[in-house]
Amino acid sequence: MNNIEIKHVVDFHKWTRPGPEVDIGIFANILPDGDGYIGAARCGAMDIMDQIHIVTYDSEFNLLDSKKVTKGEDPRCFFFGGTPYALTWSPEATGLEYKVVNLKTREVTNLLIDGVSRAPLSKFGKNWMPLEKDGQLYIIVSLEPKICVLHCDLETGNCQWVEGFEADGDIQVTLSRGGTPFIYNETLDRYIGFGHRSYSAYHHNIYFYTISTDFKSVTIGEDIYTEKINVQDPLSIFSKNDKIYFCVGNWNVPDDGEMNLYELTISN
């Protein structure tokens, strides 16, 4: 694997938990939008009734606005067709309900998974990784021990399996879980992103992953140690001014936390 280096850029969206609810929400990951940024955060009491808020920031990462849009947890923001979206999920009586939110229009699309009723969806986990290829939206559901991939139509919400899934089996998720969406990198000629390993509810580490353009092979990196501790969950990744950035939520469960922005450099 090529050498990668990460550099801390800024901390923003710092939250506290003074009572049953977090004051401004957690995991507010972002994407560039004009002179500022747009993204999504999880707000509420950290329970099954939590809501997704669309959040906006100025160029200095000052929070400008936060508006409720739908029920959900731990959003991951990504670009598709140049439009910013957030992938999220919400616990329902029959399982997890997966959905995509257009951060500009506020439109919510419920995803309908081919060959699977809602009841067992919770077995698929909640760390899905969106990916845009040839103008189409794919979602990488798992990386190991087997790659499982969905192709999704945001007009209808219908998603079809294109790799790895068997209707009579479960999708296995190892310690190496998903995190950010994937973006294409010319240096590697692969899609890249960052996942997390959950050693406990209070200890998550980040790692680097890639997937080939034909979705046939993955690379799984070692743990990356930063100046932060406790829970570190990577959430969004994007290019801006020919540089790559990614957001990591650093949470001192169950109390305070903040979002950390890093710059990624890949060299031969």
Side-chain angles (χ1 to χ4, degrees), residues 2-64:
N2 290 42
N3 295 321
I4 68 166
E5 295 181 4
I6 67 170
K7 181 176 69 175
H8 178 262
V9 177
V10 68
D11 297 332
F12 69 101
H13 197 92
K14 299 184 179 183
W15 66 81
T16 58
R17 196 174 185 182
E21 295 195 7
V22 174
D23 51 359
I24 62 172
I26 70 171
F27 294 150
N29 58 116
I30 56 172
L31 300 169
D33 182 48
D35 294 332
Y37 298 88
I38 192 169
R42 174 182 177 177
C43 297
M46 304 300 104
D47 60 24
I48 63 172
M49 298 306 296
D50 282 359
Q51 299 285 328
I52 299 301
H53 282 214
I54 296 175
V55 290
T56 56
Y57 302 81
D58 65 17
S59 61
E60 300 299 319
F61 301 97
N62 297 303
L63 181 63
L64 300 176

Side-chain angles (χ1 to χ4, degrees), residues 41-180:
R42 174 182 177 177
C43 297
M46 304 300 104
D47 60 24
I48 63 172
M49 298 306 296
D50 282 359
Q51 299 285 328
I52 299 301
H53 282 214
I54 296 175
V55 290
T56 56
Y57 302 81
D58 65 17
S59 61
E60 300 299 319
F61 301 97
N62 297 303
L63 181 63
L64 300 176
D65 194 24
S66 178
K67 292 182 179 178
K68 180 174 66 177
V69 65
T70 189
K71 188 170 176 284
E73 300 180 351
D74 303 352
R76 265 76 168 178
C77 296
F78 66 98
F79 280 116
F80 176 61
T83 298
Y85 289 90
L87 173 66
T88 188
W89 40 83
S90 60
E92 305 296 339
T94 54
L96 293 183
E97 182 176 87
Y98 297 90
K99 59 185 80 172
V100 172
V101 180
N102 185 315
L103 298 180
K104 286 295 194 178
T105 66
R106 300 172 58 84
E107 180 180 4
V108 178
T109 301
N110 292 320
L111 300 183
L112 307 172
I113 315 302
D114 182 54
V116 183
S117 67
R118 285 182 58 187
L121 285 184
S122 58
K123 296 182 180 180
F124 294 172
K126 59 177 186 177
N127 296 296
W128 293 10
M129 298 150 275
L131 179 156
E132 181 175 4
K133 177 184 176 182
D134 300 329
Q136 301 295 308
L137 176 62
Y138 296 88
I139 296 177
I140 313 302
V141 177
S142 67
L143 294 173
E144 63 172 11
K146 182 171 65 175
I147 303 169
C148 294
V149 183
L150 284 167
H151 173 261
C152 295
D153 182 348
L154 286 187
E155 292 293 325
T156 63
N158 292 326
C159 297
Q160 306 288 324
W161 295 100
V162 297
E163 192 72 41
F165 176 72
E166 298 177 3
D168 58 350
D170 292 339
I171 290 181
Q172 300 179 47
V173 179
T174 70
L175 183 65
S176 300
R177 305 178 191 280
T180 73

Side-chain angles (χ1 to χ4, degrees), residues 214-228:
D214 62 1
F215 304 153
K216 299 298 184 182
S217 69
V218 301
T219 61
I220 304 292
E222 300 295 326
D223 282 7
I224 297 173
Y225 295 93
T226 72
E227 73 284 2
K228 308 297 182 179

